Amino acid sequence: MPVNYSGYWRMQSNENFEEYLKALDVNVALRKIAVLLKPDKDISQTGDRVVIKTISSLRNYIMEFDIGKEFQEDLKGIDDRLCKTTVTWDGDKLVCVQKGEKEGRGWTHWIDGDELHLEMRAEGVTCKQVFKKVH
């Protein structure tokens, strides 16, 4: 286990999020609301078990997984798709591959100082978010 991601992280920046949501075919009304949100991340990591809670005023999303084990991810409330998802280590980065209807879908998390970086990908579109550790 290279890095412990546990902590509470508050969003600082969100680049290209609307284009990412368009790539996922999220409807325009939901996109317009989503881009205004500044969700927090509450991450707990025990060994290879990780729980990532994305918390916002609109809705919360909880992703629980064991690193290296494929699972079925229900993205209800995001783009309402099912994916076969696997999260692995690439050095100190957590890399997620989401196999499903959308090509090249997934994300990468990494920590730089007190910042948590998240790069989300789908259909050739990339969104970059940065979070600052609160506690």
Side-chain angles (χ1 to χ4, degrees):
M1 181 175 63
V3 171
N4 190 334
Y5 281 73
S6 295
Y8 197 87
W9 308 84
R10 185 148 293 136
M11 181 178 274
Q12 301 298 303
S13 65
N14 190 3
E15 298 173 19
N16 212 33
F17 189 52
E18 188 166 6
E19 290 303 312
Y20 170 76
L21 294 175
K22 280 182 189 176
L24 294 177
D25 300 321
V26 172
N27 75 60
V28 67
L30 187 55
R31 281 197 321 262
K32 294 299 179 190
I33 293 167
V35 297
L36 297 175
L37 300 175
K38 291 186 76 148
D40 293 342
K41 298 264 185 200
D42 187 5
I43 302 175
S44 60
Q45 178 181 341
T46 307
D48 281 341
R49 182 75 177 162
V50 180
V51 179
I52 301 174
K53 297 176 185 173
T54 304
I55 302 162
S56 77
S57 56
L58 179 63
R59 64 174 55 122
N60 299 331
Y61 180 72
I62 299 172
M63 181 182 193
E64 298 182 48
F65 57 91
D66 292 306
I67 293 172
K69 294 184 182 171
E70 185 178 75
F71 64 98
Q72 181 165 299
E73 184 178 9
D74 183 350
L75 293 156
K76 191 163 194 72
I78 297 174
D79 66 336
D80 299 324
R81 290 189 171 90
L82 295 175
C83 292
K84 291 288 187 186
T85 300
T86 307
V87 181
T88 56
W89 287 113
D90 179 5
D92 286 344
K93 294 181 178 184
L94 282 175
V95 178
C96 174
V97 174
Q98 296 165 311
K99 296 180 200 160
E101 294 175 39
K102 294 294 181 176
E103 283 297 313
R105 184 171 187 173
W107 51 259
T108 302
H109 263 306
W110 69 95
I111 294 174
D112 184 6
D114 64 350
E115 292 182 337
L116 173 72
H117 294 258
L118 172 60
E119 182 180 280
M120 297 183 289
R121 301 170 296 277
E123 298 286 325
V125 175
T126 301
C127 166
K128 293 183 181 178
Q129 298 178 339
V130 178
F131 301 79
K132 191 163 187 82
K133 192 165 193 175
V134 178
H135 52 81

